[in-house]
């Protein structure tokens, strides 16, 4: 059970209620309590799914690595579904919590995941890791990886600190809902 009550959507604006109809997951329900920054936060998250430069499967691998390393059960649960829907294999799903680099990941994937690990452990990433990602993924994807990293660090701490309940009724992945949400924003 969540540490604090989920905000009452009936007391929120029509915009917020419309967003929650499209994405009723517990994280969105709790984040609705952020008031006027809820819509911009959701817009940022949705941008990763709709216009991001990172390859979608790599974005999910990075998110899963963060979730594993930080012990973020909610983020792990949600993004495991999305990763599988994007073609991340079961062996890769198992390897995401293991030692890096891994032969199950491409050179690009390993470079990105090593950078993510380094950013979990340090404020300033090692230059060689940054330059590897820049060289292998390109400028825009490198910047996006830093932003995705920061966003999911925040979400890991948010979901774990507030003890947001896993979405037990969720049967499929939330990727279609995330893509559809752009229309509500």
């Amino acid at each position: 059970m969540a540490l604090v009550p989920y905000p009452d959507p009936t007391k929120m604006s029509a915009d917020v209620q419309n967003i929650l109809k499209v994405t009723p997951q517990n994280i969105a329900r709790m984040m609705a309590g952020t008031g006027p920054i809820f819509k911009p936060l959701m817009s940022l998250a949705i941008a990763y799914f709709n216009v991001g430069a990172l390859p979608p499967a790599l974005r999910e691998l990075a998110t899963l690595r963060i979730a594993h390393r930080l012990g973020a059960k909610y983020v792990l649960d949600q993004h495991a579904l999305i990763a599988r829907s994007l073609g991340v294999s079961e062996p890769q799903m198992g390897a995401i919590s293991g030692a890096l680099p891994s032969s199950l990941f491409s050179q690009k994937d390993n470079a990105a995941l090593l950078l993510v690990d380094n950013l979990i452990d340090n404020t300033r990433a090692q230059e060689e890791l940054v330059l590897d990602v820049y060289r292998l993924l390109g400028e825009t994807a490198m910047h996006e990886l830093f932003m995705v990293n920061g966003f999911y660090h925040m979400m890991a701490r948010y979901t774990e600190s507030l003890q947001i309940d896993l979405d037990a009724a969720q049967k499929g992945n939330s990727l279609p809902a995330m893509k559809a949400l752009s229309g509500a924003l």
Side-chain angles (χ1 to χ4, degrees), residues 83-101:
R84 285 183 177 99
S85 76
L86 291 169
V88 174
S89 70
E90 287 308 313
Q92 288 174 317
M93 293 294 290
I96 198 63
S97 61
L100 293 174

Side-chain angles (χ1 to χ4, degrees), residues 91-174:
Q92 288 174 317
M93 293 294 290
I96 198 63
S97 61
L100 293 174
S102 168
S103 62
L104 292 171
F105 301 119
S106 71
Q107 184 182 14
K108 290 179 181 182
D109 295 344
N110 275 309
L113 294 171
L114 287 166
L115 178 59
V116 164
D117 266 9
N118 197 252
L119 288 167
I120 289 170
D121 298 333
N122 305 287
T123 301
R124 177 184 286 187
Q126 292 175 353
E127 287 181 15
E128 66 191 55
L129 296 174
V130 175
L131 294 173
D132 279 349
V133 168
Y134 181 80
R135 180 178 51 81
L136 292 167
L137 296 178
E139 180 178 22
T140 304
M142 179 213 58
H143 288 291
E144 186 178 325
L145 181 60
F146 275 98
M147 298 305 115
V148 165
N149 184 69
F151 185 82
Y152 286 105
H153 268 77
M154 176 178 67
M155 289 295 103
R157 286 163 172 80
Y158 184 74
T159 57
E160 287 302 306
S161 295
L162 295 179
Q163 301 171 30
I164 295 174
D165 303 298
L166 297 178
D167 294 299
Q170 188 171 338
K171 303 248 188 286
N173 71 71
S174 60

